[in-house]
Amino acid sequence: MRVPAPDRRTLLLAAAGVALGGLAAVPTAGAAPVGGQPVRNRQLLARLQQAPWTGRPGKGGCAAVYALVSTTCPYSRAFMAQAYPRLVRQGYDVQLVLLAVDGERKETITEAAFRRDPSLIVQVFAGRYRGGLDPADSDEATAAFNAAVAATLDARALSRAAGFGAFVPSFLWRDRQGQWRIYSGFADATFQRDFATLPPPGC
């Protein structure tokens, strides 16, 4: 379910205030549970699965790894530099979303949500992209930006419900038993242990 295009003169500004002023990317405090936590809220999960994810949909019934990231977060930057290329090389279908948090340019958030192109987010993290779409340029751009805001709020709610201290970065995946799980935080040294329930690629 996509977020409908709001009145650009009112709701867009309200959404921008929530997304860019109220959701700061902060590191996860404390030790996160190995294998993440089961996702209990099916409504939020369904909304996130239909959010403005970039990349292609999961293929052949295989679970994708949904990665919710922000360039303002050092742990997101570490994931994109260290684990993301490795997961792609291994054959995982990694779908990215650039979260609408404090410090991200709303034009970049809008274009990432509008284009649904993983290479754009990779370029943003590499510092090679500073363009974007003004969310007030068109109804489609407005809807894309507000969908990114809604996805960010849903991601925060799912992470908080799972007991994590911060929600950037967060990862969603279906484990070997078919249960959706969430993990917030990242350290490459413990990545394999922390994501122990992730099924093998190419399932």
Side-chain angles (χ1 to χ4, degrees):
M1 178 178 66
R2 294 182 62 84
V3 176
D7 180 331
R8 291 196 297 271
R9 294 168 297 177
T10 55
L11 295 186
L12 174 65
L13 295 177
V18 171
L20 302 179
L23 299 178
V26 294
T28 301
V34 174
Q37 294 285 10
V39 173
R40 307 290 185 193
N41 190 318
R42 296 294 177 178
Q43 182 180 9
L44 283 179
L45 176 63
R47 286 213 305 257
L48 273 171
Q49 287 177 274
Q50 298 175 53
W53 304 109
T54 60
R56 62 199 184 283
K59 299 178 295 182
C62 295
V65 179
Y66 295 90
L68 297 81
V69 293
S70 169
T71 62
T72 68
C73 169
Y75 300 96
S76 293
R77 293 196 299 270
F79 166 75
M80 291 297 295
Q82 299 166 12
Y84 173 73
R86 187 169 64 241
L87 288 172
V88 172
R89 284 195 305 269
Q90 291 172 347
Y92 282 102
D93 177 20
V94 184
Q95 298 189 46
L96 302 172
V97 66
L98 185 64
L99 292 174
V101 299
D102 191 34
E104 295 288 359
R105 296 176 66 248
K106 66 180 183 295
E107 293 85 0
T108 305
I109 293 166
T110 302
E111 186 162 2
F114 182 81
R115 282 179 48 185
R116 302 168 67 92
D117 181 357
S119 66
L120 185 150
I121 293 180
V122 172
Q123 291 175 31
V124 170
F125 271 89
R128 298 193 302 267
Y129 181 84
R130 289 290 297 171
L133 298 173
D134 188 324
D137 276 350
S138 67
D139 288 343
E140 292 80 8
T142 301
F145 175 77
N146 282 278
V149 172
T152 302
L153 294 171
D154 287 344
R156 182 177 67 171
L158 275 179
S159 180
R160 293 288 189 268
F164 292 99
F167 70 100
V168 184
S170 283
F171 306 90
L172 288 162
W173 71 93
R174 196 191 302 270
D175 67 19
R176 295 181 182 92
Q177 285 72 47
Q179 166 71 54
W180 280 96
R181 307 186 75 84
I182 185 169
Y183 188 100
S184 298
F186 173 78
D188 196 50
T190 59
F191 181 80
Q192 296 297 331
R193 182 203 70 188
D194 296 338
F195 294 83
T197 66
L198 190 68
C203 55

